[in-house]
Each structure stands twice: as C-alpha cells, then as structure tokens.
Amino acid sequence: MKDCLPYLIGALMGVLAALIISGMLTLPGTPQLMLFALLPVLGGAIVERTFNRRSAKS
C-alpha cells in the first residue's frame, strides 16, 4: 500500500483539479468526461514520478 500512496495522492489532486476546472468552465458532456479521465491519471503519474526521483536521490 505504501508504494501506491504517491499515485493515490496525485490522482486525488487530479480529481480536485478536474472538479475545479469543470465548475469554472461549466463543460458539457465529452469535454468534461475527458477532463475527469485524464487529469487524475496525469496527476497520479506526475506525483509518483516526482516521489520516485526524490527517493532515489537520497
């Protein structure tokens, strides 16, 4: 579970960003679906990669 924690944190940040962007822009249908599909995955990948790079340096 500890190995998945950085990805989960990033995914939650991506969902939060998707909610905020969707609320601000009031996106309909497909663009909103793509936003909620892509941002959690990208957020999780970025945070996990950053965490792995920092832990490898120490």
Side-chain angles (χ1 to χ4, degrees):
M1 181 66 184
K2 186 178 179 184
D3 294 335
C4 297
L5 192 60
Y7 184 81
L8 290 175
I9 292 170
L12 288 174
M13 290 171 50
V15 168
L16 182 62
L19 283 170
I20 291 170
I21 293 170
S22 176
M24 288 173 39
L25 300 178
T26 60
L27 296 172
T30 303
Q32 184 180 21
L33 181 63
M34 291 180 67
L35 189 72
F36 276 96
L38 294 176
L39 281 182
V41 172
L42 290 174
I46 290 170
V47 171
E48 183 180 29
R49 187 175 187 135
T50 303
F51 181 80
N52 287 338
R53 283 188 179 181
R54 286 190 178 181
S55 64
K57 287 183 180 179
S58 1

